[in-house]
């Protein structure tokens, strides 16, 4: 398949990066920031923390695992979700780029990039990874920072605020720490949608066994260094993005070779001229 580069949408220029302030203190809380510290509009916390084990830092909401219950009490209507997810992703990528944190796409987000440099229309989340040095950098200097964006797709006068929260367990590099596989979150403080950020680290077990160049995430994904680095530069949803070096191999390994060529998926047909996934039924119009 030929890869097409979409013309730049120049969206990044529309962003206004107006506020980011450093973490108030370096205190090491064991659970995510208290509701009262971060609340925006809710009167009650809808985090599902009650049922979670003590050592688990991030909590999924009581109503849906893709929402942060400190900021939302219900899911978005299906037709709105994609728009907010796109804005979430654009604000994340622009911020990481601006502050110099190394991040790249993986899993379903990378598959969407392969097809048309966009989030797959049926995807309910965004998958990104960061390097070990970047998670340290984010933990040291950007934990609990809030970043305001004015986005054309989201009609809000005052802009929308996104918060970066880093799991203090990021420094525990063992897969035994299974309640803290997510190293950080980028959270839309209005809708409660968030991006899970996972750090790709040296696989210390493999290294101890004398094997070089092996990487891992706490969610148990394993990679070879040369499959990820050097990162390639591209575009995603109109903003600059990095993608892993051997993207096609990684995608085939994860989804099978047919995922890279099959043009019918999840009730959508890929239109190669428009470079869009069109819902079945609308593809004949
Ligand atoms: C980030 O800040 C929150 C809230 O204060 C705290 O619970 C957490 O431990 C901090 N994370 C890191 C990596 O310091
Ligand atoms: C990492 O987390 C696991 C599981 O909670 C724990 O048993 C282990 O002691 C931790 N390791 C470090 C270095 O903190």
């Amino acid at each position: 398949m030929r890869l097409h580069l979409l013309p730049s949408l120049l969206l990044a220029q529309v962003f206004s990066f107006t506020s980011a302030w450093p973490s108030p203190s370096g205190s090491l809380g064991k659970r995510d920031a208290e509701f009262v510290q971060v609340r925006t509009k809710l009167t009650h916390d809808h985090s599902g923390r009650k049922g979670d084990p003590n050592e688990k830092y991030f909590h999924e909401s009581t109503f849906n695992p893709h929402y942060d219950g400190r900021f939302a009490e219900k899911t978005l209507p299906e037709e709105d979700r994609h728009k907010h997810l796109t804005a979430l992703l654009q604000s994340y990528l622009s911020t990481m780029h601006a502050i110099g944190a190394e991040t790249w796409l993986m899993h379903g987000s990378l598959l969407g990039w392969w097809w048309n440099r966009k989030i797959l229309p049926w995807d309910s989340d965004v998958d990104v990874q960061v390097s070990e040095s970047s998670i340290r950098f984010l933990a040291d200097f950007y934990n609990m920072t809030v970043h305001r964006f004015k986005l054309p797709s989201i009609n809000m006068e005052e802009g929308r605020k996104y918060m970066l929260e880093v799991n203090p367990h990021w420094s525990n590099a063992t897969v035994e720490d299974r309640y803290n596989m997510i190293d950080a979150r980028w959270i839309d403080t209005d809708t409660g949608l968030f991006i899970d950020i996972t750090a790709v680290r040296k696989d210390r077990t493999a290294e101890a066994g004398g094997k070089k160049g092996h990487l891992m995430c706490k969610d148990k994904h394993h990679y070879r260094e040369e499959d990820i680095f050097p990162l390639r530069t591209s575009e995603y949803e109109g903003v600059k993005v990095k993608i892993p070096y051997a993207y096609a191999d990684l995608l085939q390994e994860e989804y099978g070779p047919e995922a890279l060529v099959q043009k019918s998926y999840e009730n959508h047909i890929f239109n190669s001229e428009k470079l869009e996934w069109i819902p079945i039924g609308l593809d004949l119009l």
Side-chain angles (χ1 to χ4, degrees), residues 130-162:
V130 295
S131 58
E132 205 162 13
S133 54
S134 289
I135 194 69
R136 175 175 295 117
F137 172 66
L138 295 176
D140 286 352
F141 299 106
Y142 285 93
N143 186 29
M144 303 306 282
T145 52
V146 176
H147 306 255
R148 185 157 42 190
F149 280 81
K150 277 196 172 175
L151 295 151
S153 56
I154 287 170
N155 217 351
M156 285 178 83
E157 263 302 292
E158 69 278 24
R160 179 159 290 188
K161 289 178 178 166
Y162 298 91

mmCIF file of all heavy atoms in Angstrom, residues 130-162:
data_model
loop_
_atom_site.group_PDB
_atom_site.id
_atom_site.type_symbol
_atom_site.label_atom_id
_atom_site.label_comp_id
_atom_site.label_asym_id
_atom_site.label_seq_id
_atom_site.Cartn_x
_atom_site.Cartn_y
_atom_site.Cartn_z
ATOM 1 N N VAL A 130 5.766 7.079 25.791
ATOM 2 C CA VAL A 130 6.853 8.042 25.985
ATOM 3 C C VAL A 130 8.113 7.271 26.361
ATOM 4 O O VAL A 130 8.035 6.127 26.824
ATOM 5 C CB VAL A 130 6.556 9.081 27.106
ATOM 6 C CG1 VAL A 130 5.382 9.968 26.744
ATOM 7 C CG2 VAL A 130 6.313 8.397 28.446
ATOM 8 N N SER A 131 9.250 7.909 26.182
ATOM 9 C CA SER A 131 10.509 7.261 26.553
ATOM 10 C C SER A 131 10.703 7.369 28.062
ATOM 11 O O SER A 131 10.034 8.151 28.746
ATOM 12 C CB SER A 131 11.661 7.930 25.824
ATOM 13 O OG SER A 131 11.689 9.300 26.153
ATOM 14 N N GLU A 132 11.631 6.584 28.553
ATOM 15 C CA GLU A 132 11.898 6.580 29.989
ATOM 16 C C GLU A 132 12.410 7.946 30.462
ATOM 17 O O GLU A 132 12.012 8.435 31.516
ATOM 18 C CB GLU A 132 12.930 5.485 30.284
ATOM 19 C CG GLU A 132 12.871 4.976 31.686
ATOM 20 C CD GLU A 132 13.564 3.617 31.839
ATOM 21 O OE1 GLU A 132 14.303 3.196 30.914
ATOM 22 O OE2 GLU A 132 13.368 2.998 32.886
ATOM 23 N N SER A 133 13.261 8.570 29.647
ATOM 24 C CA SER A 133 13.764 9.876 30.081
ATOM 25 C C SER A 133 12.650 10.917 30.060
ATOM 26 O O SER A 133 12.636 11.843 30.872
ATOM 27 C CB SER A 133 14.946 10.316 29.222
ATOM 28 O OG SER A 133 14.590 10.277 27.869
ATOM 29 N N SER A 134 11.693 10.746 29.149
ATOM 30 C CA SER A 134 10.599 11.718 29.092
ATOM 31 C C SER A 134 9.626 11.562 30.261
ATOM 32 O O SER A 134 9.101 12.553 30.756
ATOM 33 C CB SER A 134 9.841 11.607 27.777
ATOM 34 O OG SER A 134 10.646 12.085 26.737
ATOM 35 N N ILE A 135 9.383 10.345 30.698
ATOM 36 C CA ILE A 135 8.458 10.206 31.836
ATOM 37 C C ILE A 135 9.110 10.808 33.084
ATOM 38 O O ILE A 135 8.444 11.454 33.898
ATOM 39 C CB ILE A 135 7.976 8.738 32.060
ATOM 40 C CG1 ILE A 135 6.772 8.701 33.022
ATOM 41 C CG2 ILE A 135 9.069 7.835 32.587
ATOM 42 C CD1 ILE A 135 5.510 9.276 32.494
ATOM 43 N N ARG A 136 10.417 10.665 33.181
ATOM 44 C CA ARG A 136 11.118 11.283 34.327
ATOM 45 C C ARG A 136 10.999 12.799 34.252
ATOM 46 O O ARG A 136 10.704 13.470 35.242
ATOM 47 C CB ARG A 136 12.582 10.857 34.338
ATOM 48 C CG ARG A 136 13.394 11.561 35.428
ATOM 49 C CD ARG A 136 14.816 11.061 35.528
ATOM 50 N NE ARG A 136 14.861 9.672 35.949
ATOM 51 C CZ ARG A 136 15.347 8.675 35.203
ATOM 52 N NH1 ARG A 136 15.841 8.924 34.006
ATOM 53 N NH2 ARG A 136 15.353 7.445 35.656
ATOM 54 N N PHE A 137 11.194 13.331 33.059
ATOM 55 C CA PHE A 137 11.095 14.769 32.823
ATOM 56 C C PHE A 137 9.684 15.286 33.166
ATOM 57 O O PHE A 137 9.512 16.281 33.862
ATOM 58 C CB PHE A 137 11.442 15.025 31.353
ATOM 59 C CG PHE A 137 11.211 16.415 30.852
ATOM 60 C CD1 PHE A 137 11.959 17.478 31.335
ATOM 61 C CD2 PHE A 137 10.260 16.664 29.865
ATOM 62 C CE1 PHE A 137 11.762 18.767 30.853
ATOM 63 C CE2 PHE A 137 10.049 17.943 29.377
ATOM 64 C CZ PHE A 137 10.796 18.996 29.872
ATOM 65 N N LEU A 138 8.677 14.558 32.711
ATOM 66 C CA LEU A 138 7.287 14.966 32.989
ATOM 67 C C LEU A 138 7.000 14.883 34.487
ATOM 68 O O LEU A 138 6.354 15.763 35.054
ATOM 69 C CB LEU A 138 6.305 14.091 32.205
ATOM 70 C CG LEU A 138 6.363 14.208 30.678
ATOM 71 C CD1 LEU A 138 5.411 13.216 30.017
ATOM 72 C CD2 LEU A 138 6.045 15.636 30.213
ATOM 73 N N ALA A 139 7.477 13.839 35.136
ATOM 74 C CA ALA A 139 7.253 13.664 36.577
ATOM 75 C C ALA A 139 7.927 14.788 37.356
ATOM 76 O O ALA A 139 7.357 15.356 38.290
ATOM 77 C CB ALA A 139 7.787 12.310 37.030
ATOM 78 N N ASP A 140 9.139 15.158 36.948
ATOM 79 C CA ASP A 140 9.905 16.165 37.690
ATOM 80 C C ASP A 140 9.395 17.587 37.471
ATOM 81 O O ASP A 140 9.454 18.406 38.376
ATOM 82 C CB ASP A 140 11.384 16.108 37.274
ATOM 83 C CG ASP A 140 12.086 14.893 37.858
ATOM 84 O OD1 ASP A 140 11.470 14.198 38.696
ATOM 85 O OD2 ASP A 140 13.247 14.635 37.474
ATOM 86 N N PHE A 141 8.927 17.882 36.263
ATOM 87 C CA PHE A 141 8.631 19.289 35.964
ATOM 88 C C PHE A 141 7.195 19.593 35.536
ATOM 89 O O PHE A 141 6.799 20.746 35.518
ATOM 90 C CB PHE A 141 9.578 19.803 34.874
ATOM 91 C CG PHE A 141 11.018 19.743 35.274
ATOM 92 C CD1 PHE A 141 11.856 18.778 34.747
ATOM 93 C CD2 PHE A 141 11.518 20.624 36.213
ATOM 94 C CE1 PHE A 141 13.191 18.711 35.128
ATOM 95 C CE2 PHE A 141 12.850 20.564 36.612
ATOM 96 C CZ PHE A 141 13.697 19.596 36.072
ATOM 97 N N TYR A 142 6.426 18.605 35.170
ATOM 98 C CA TYR A 142 5.106 18.915 34.609
ATOM 99 C C TYR A 142 3.935 18.223 35.282
ATOM 100 O O TYR A 142 2.807 18.301 34.809
ATOM 101 C CB TYR A 142 5.089 18.619 33.102
ATOM 102 C CG TYR A 142 5.845 19.667 32.324
ATOM 103 C CD1 TYR A 142 7.189 19.494 32.012
ATOM 104 C CD2 TYR A 142 5.228 20.860 31.963
ATOM 105 C CE1 TYR A 142 7.901 20.476 31.341
ATOM 106 C CE2 TYR A 142 5.927 21.839 31.293
ATOM 107 C CZ TYR A 142 7.266 21.650 30.981
ATOM 108 O OH TYR A 142 7.953 22.627 30.322
ATOM 109 N N ASN A 143 4.182 17.547 36.398
ATOM 110 C CA ASN A 143 3.071 16.888 37.070
ATOM 111 C C ASN A 143 2.031 17.917 37.512
ATOM 112 O O ASN A 143 2.376 18.958 38.065
ATOM 113 C CB ASN A 143 3.591 16.132 38.303
ATOM 114 C CG ASN A 143 2.506 15.306 38.957
ATOM 115 O OD1 ASN A 143 1.580 14.842 38.301
ATOM 116 N ND2 ASN A 143 2.599 15.130 40.271
ATOM 117 N N MET A 144 0.788 17.642 37.237
ATOM 118 C CA MET A 144 -0.355 18.485 37.618
ATOM 119 C C MET A 144 -0.371 19.854 36.931
ATOM 120 O O MET A 144 -1.031 20.776 37.398
ATOM 121 C CB MET A 144 -0.432 18.671 39.142
ATOM 122 C CG MET A 144 -0.516 17.383 39.928
ATOM 123 S SD MET A 144 -1.856 16.306 39.409
ATOM 124 C CE MET A 144 -3.251 17.120 40.182
ATOM 125 N N THR A 145 0.331 19.979 35.831
ATOM 126 C CA THR A 145 0.246 21.238 35.099
ATOM 127 C C THR A 145 -1.028 21.240 34.265
ATOM 128 O O THR A 145 -1.514 20.190 33.843
ATOM 129 C CB THR A 145 1.458 21.470 34.168
ATOM 130 O OG1 THR A 145 1.634 20.320 33.342
ATOM 131 C CG2 THR A 145 2.709 21.729 34.978
ATOM 132 N N VAL A 146 -1.558 22.439 34.067
ATOM 133 C CA VAL A 146 -2.796 22.593 33.309
ATOM 134 C C VAL A 146 -2.494 23.428 32.065
ATOM 135 O O VAL A 146 -1.788 24.432 32.154
ATOM 136 C CB VAL A 146 -3.878 23.268 34.178
ATOM 137 C CG1 VAL A 146 -5.131 23.527 33.373
ATOM 138 C CG2 VAL A 146 -4.184 22.393 35.389
ATOM 139 N N HIS A 147 -2.984 22.993 30.933
ATOM 140 C CA HIS A 147 -2.648 23.635 29.660
ATOM 141 C C HIS A 147 -3.940 24.036 28.950
ATOM 142 O O HIS A 147 -4.804 23.199 28.728
ATOM 143 C CB HIS A 147 -1.846 22.668 28.786
ATOM 144 C CG HIS A 147 -0.635 22.122 29.498
ATOM 145 N ND1 HIS A 147 0.633 22.546 29.237
ATOM 146 C CD2 HIS A 147 -0.532 21.203 30.492
ATOM 147 C CE1 HIS A 147 1.486 21.914 30.035
ATOM 148 N NE2 HIS A 147 0.808 21.083 30.799
ATOM 149 N N ARG A 148 -4.018 25.306 28.638
ATOM 150 C CA ARG A 148 -5.266 25.784 28.033
ATOM 151 C C ARG A 148 -5.158 25.908 26.519
ATOM 152 O O ARG A 148 -4.203 26.460 26.006
ATOM 153 C CB ARG A 148 -5.683 27.117 28.629
ATOM 154 C CG ARG A 148 -7.032 27.561 28.095
ATOM 155 C CD ARG A 148 -7.729 28.502 28.985
ATOM 156 N NE ARG A 148 -6.819 29.500 29.546
ATOM 157 C CZ ARG A 148 -7.173 30.319 30.507
ATOM 158 N NH1 ARG A 148 -8.376 30.262 31.014
ATOM 159 N NH2 ARG A 148 -6.327 31.210 30.977
ATOM 160 N N PHE A 149 -6.155 25.412 25.840
ATOM 161 C CA PHE A 149 -6.172 25.441 24.378
ATOM 162 C C PHE A 149 -7.466 26.015 23.867
ATOM 163 O O PHE A 149 -8.537 25.711 24.395
ATOM 164 C CB PHE A 149 -6.046 24.023 23.819
ATOM 165 C CG PHE A 149 -4.643 23.501 23.817
ATOM 166 C CD1 PHE A 149 -4.086 22.982 24.970
ATOM 167 C CD2 PHE A 149 -3.878 23.557 22.670
ATOM 168 C CE1 PHE A 149 -2.789 22.512 24.975
ATOM 169 C CE2 PHE A 149 -2.577 23.089 22.667
ATOM 170 C CZ PHE A 149 -2.036 22.558 23.825
ATOM 171 N N LYS A 150 -7.334 26.813 22.814
ATOM 172 C CA LYS A 150 -8.538 27.216 22.082
ATOM 173 C C LYS A 150 -8.515 26.452 20.785
ATOM 174 O O LYS A 150 -7.587 26.589 19.995
ATOM 175 C CB LYS A 150 -8.511 28.716 21.819
ATOM 176 C CG LYS A 150 -8.994 29.497 22.991
ATOM 177 C CD LYS A 150 -9.332 30.915 22.596
ATOM 178 C CE LYS A 150 -10.010 31.619 23.774
ATOM 179 N NZ LYS A 150 -10.255 33.029 23.495
ATOM 180 N N LEU A 151 -9.499 25.637 20.584
ATOM 181 C CA LEU A 151 -9.522 24.781 19.406
ATOM 182 C C LEU A 151 -10.718 25.100 18.548
ATOM 183 O O LEU A 151 -11.815 25.312 19.060
ATOM 184 C CB LEU A 151 -9.593 23.314 19.853
ATOM 185 C CG LEU A 151 -8.349 22.837 20.611
ATOM 186 C CD1 LEU A 151 -8.698 21.751 21.593
ATOM 187 C CD2 LEU A 151 -7.306 22.369 19.626
ATOM 188 N N PRO A 152 -10.507 25.138 17.230
ATOM 189 C CA PRO A 152 -11.614 25.478 16.337
ATOM 190 C C PRO A 152 -12.782 24.488 16.456
ATOM 191 O O PRO A 152 -13.939 24.860 16.320
ATOM 192 C CB PRO A 152 -10.984 25.415 14.942
ATOM 193 C CG PRO A 152 -9.670 24.741 15.099
ATOM 194 C CD PRO A 152 -9.255 24.882 16.518
ATOM 195 N N SER A 153 -12.445 23.226 16.754
ATOM 196 C CA SER A 153 -13.499 22.209 16.802
ATOM 197 C C SER A 153 -14.325 22.307 18.078
ATOM 198 O O SER A 153 -15.431 21.793 18.161
ATOM 199 C CB SER A 153 -12.875 20.827 16.698
ATOM 200 O OG SER A 153 -11.919 20.655 17.722
ATOM 201 N N ILE A 154 -13.764 22.964 19.079
ATOM 202 C CA ILE A 154 -14.478 23.025 20.350
ATOM 203 C C ILE A 154 -14.802 24.461 20.671
ATOM 204 O O ILE A 154 -13.926 25.284 20.922
ATOM 205 C CB ILE A 154 -13.651 22.363 21.465
ATOM 206 C CG1 ILE A 154 -13.694 20.860 21.234
ATOM 207 C CG2 ILE A 154 -14.197 22.708 22.822
ATOM 208 C CD1 ILE A 154 -12.762 20.112 22.096
ATOM 209 N N ASN A 155 -16.070 24.719 20.653
ATOM 210 C CA ASN A 155 -16.552 26.078 20.739
ATOM 211 C C ASN A 155 -16.626 26.555 22.181
ATOM 212 O O ASN A 155 -17.679 26.573 22.781
ATOM 213 C CB ASN A 155 -17.945 26.120 20.098
ATOM 214 C CG ASN A 155 -18.136 27.397 19.346
ATOM 215 O OD1 ASN A 155 -17.303 28.307 19.447
ATOM 216 N ND2 ASN A 155 -19.213 27.472 18.588
ATOM 217 N N MET A 156 -15.496 26.942 22.736
ATOM 218 C CA MET A 156 -15.527 27.437 24.103
ATOM 219 C C MET A 156 -14.716 28.716 24.165
ATOM 220 O O MET A 156 -13.528 28.721 23.873
ATOM 221 C CB MET A 156 -14.943 26.404 25.075
ATOM 222 C CG MET A 156 -15.871 25.240 25.357
ATOM 223 S SD MET A 156 -15.071 24.066 26.461
ATOM 224 C CE MET A 156 -15.399 24.813 28.055
ATOM 225 N N GLU A 157 -15.367 29.777 24.547
ATOM 226 C CA GLU A 157 -14.749 31.091 24.629
ATOM 227 C C GLU A 157 -13.426 31.073 25.382
ATOM 228 O O GLU A 157 -12.395 31.532 24.910
ATOM 229 C CB GLU A 157 -15.701 32.053 25.361
ATOM 230 C CG GLU A 157 -16.537 32.910 24.442
ATOM 231 C CD GLU A 157 -15.713 33.751 23.501
ATOM 232 O OE1 GLU A 157 -15.039 34.668 24.002
ATOM 233 O OE2 GLU A 157 -15.717 33.495 22.277
ATOM 234 N N GLU A 158 -13.513 30.509 26.573
ATOM 235 C CA GLU A 158 -12.349 30.573 27.475
ATOM 236 C C GLU A 158 -11.310 29.498 27.176
ATOM 237 O O GLU A 158 -10.277 29.428 27.807
ATOM 238 C CB GLU A 158 -12.818 30.485 28.933
ATOM 239 C CG GLU A 158 -13.390 29.140 29.349
ATOM 240 C CD GLU A 158 -14.866 28.953 28.962
ATOM 241 O OE1 GLU A 158 -15.353 29.606 28.005
ATOM 242 O OE2 GLU A 158 -15.517 28.134 29.613
ATOM 243 N N GLY A 159 -11.601 28.662 26.185
ATOM 244 C CA GLY A 159 -10.677 27.581 25.856
ATOM 245 C C GLY A 159 -10.918 26.397 26.767
ATOM 246 O O GLY A 159 -11.738 26.452 27.676
ATOM 247 N N ARG A 160 -10.184 25.346 26.498
ATOM 248 C CA ARG A 160 -10.374 24.139 27.301
ATOM 249 C C ARG A 160 -9.091 23.801 28.034
ATOM 250 O O ARG A 160 -8.001 23.991 27.513
ATOM 251 C CB ARG A 160 -10.778 22.993 26.387
ATOM 252 C CG ARG A 160 -10.976 21.720 27.151
ATOM 253 C CD ARG A 160 -11.814 20.758 26.404
ATOM 254 N NE ARG A 160 -13.200 21.204 26.325
ATOM 255 C CZ ARG A 160 -14.180 20.449 25.836
ATOM 256 N NH1 ARG A 160 -13.923 19.257 25.371
ATOM 257 N NH2 ARG A 160 -15.414 20.896 25.814
ATOM 258 N N LYS A 161 -9.246 23.306 29.242
ATOM 259 C CA LYS A 161 -8.068 22.999 30.055
ATOM 260 C C LYS A 161 -7.786 21.506 30.089
ATOM 261 O O LYS A 161 -8.692 20.702 30.346
ATOM 262 C CB LYS A 161 -8.279 23.501 31.474
ATOM 263 C CG LYS A 161 -8.251 25.001 31.573
ATOM 264 C CD LYS A 161 -8.525 25.424 33.000
ATOM 265 C CE LYS A 161 -8.451 26.928 33.130
ATOM 266 N NZ LYS A 161 -9.038 27.362 34.404
ATOM 267 N N TYR A 162 -6.537 21.194 29.843
ATOM 268 C CA TYR A 162 -6.088 19.804 29.894
ATOM 269 C C TYR A 162 -5.038 19.679 30.984
ATOM 270 O O TYR A 162 -4.188 20.556 31.141
ATOM 271 C CB TYR A 162 -5.494 19.397 28.548
ATOM 272 C CG TYR A 162 -6.492 19.456 27.418
ATOM 273 C CD1 TYR A 162 -6.650 20.615 26.659
ATOM 274 C CD2 TYR A 162 -7.294 18.360 27.124
ATOM 275 C CE1 TYR A 162 -7.576 20.680 25.630
ATOM 276 C CE2 TYR A 162 -8.224 18.415 26.096
ATOM 277 C CZ TYR A 162 -8.360 19.580 25.352
ATOM 278 O OH TYR A 162 -9.279 19.646 24.337
#
